[in-house]
Amino acid sequence: MDGVLVDSEVISAQVEVELLADYGAQLTVEDIYDQFVGLSKASMTEALRRDWSLALPQEFWSRRSAAVAARFAAEGQAVPGIVGVLDALLARKMPIAVASSSSPGSIARKLAVTGLDGHFGEHLYSATMVANGKPAPDLFLYAADRLGVDPVDSIVVEDARPGVLAGVAAGMHVIGFTAAGHCAPCHDEVLLDAGAQAVASTADDLAALLVDLLAQ
């Protein structure tokens, strides 16, 4: 969802930098992009403990959720062109789902703010529903099972290295997507190195890659 459907990672990174400074961690927005985008709350907490010697109190996450929700409500937008991609998939009667590291509440709020909440029905899946978040394959395998599709026939669209790794580990086709605001010009190389079969830089490119895969 974040960075594929909704252009939220810039907002999240800015909030995280500001709040982490309160706990003594001087990270930059680029640090957040490089190390934490795509990770679940549990995985990010462990990475901060391991790599930054920072033990976050639970209050950090409640503060983060409230700050991100408020800022996204005021500034949040869908990734440019993604509505057309979703509409085209639904017109072809393709089963689609959200499989996100965000919490269920955050998924629902962001989709509602951006007007995407009518595209997925009940198929909104969070890392909180499985044992291990990305880069483990658990969430994508869970989503495929709930959709009633075989993992080998599934396509993952991801903007982040952990998500690409998770899709590859699940045995799925993986397309990288770099249309969101946090993706630097070289981000396609990061996704290809992680195992993405191709990378789309715009929604039109993504639609073309999906059509090619669906035709196989």
Side-chain angles (χ1 to χ4, degrees), residues 3-34:
V4 172
L5 301 174
V6 300
D7 202 353
S8 55
E9 295 293 7
V10 172
I11 292 172
S12 296
Q14 291 169 345
V15 167
E16 287 163 3
V17 166
E18 295 166 8
L19 293 182
L20 286 169
D22 292 345
Y23 300 94
Q26 301 301 315
L27 281 76
T28 66
V29 167
E30 288 71 25
D31 290 330
I32 300 296
Y33 292 162
D34 290 343

Side-chain angles (χ1 to χ4, degrees), residues 19-83:
L19 293 182
L20 286 169
D22 292 345
Y23 300 94
Q26 301 301 315
L27 281 76
T28 66
V29 167
E30 288 71 25
D31 290 330
I32 300 296
Y33 292 162
D34 290 343
Q35 299 184 46
F36 304 121
V37 166
L39 294 181
S40 66
K41 178 172 73 172
S43 296
M44 183 175 173
T45 299
E46 172 57 21
L48 286 165
R49 184 201 62 77
R50 182 186 65 241
D51 300 331
W52 295 83
S53 300
L54 180 62
L56 288 177
Q58 185 59 38
E59 71 168 19
F60 168 83
W61 293 106
S62 58
R63 291 180 64 196
R64 178 198 178 280
S65 294
V68 169
R71 199 171 297 186
F72 193 82
E75 306 171 19
Q77 297 181 5
V79 169
I82 199 65
V83 172

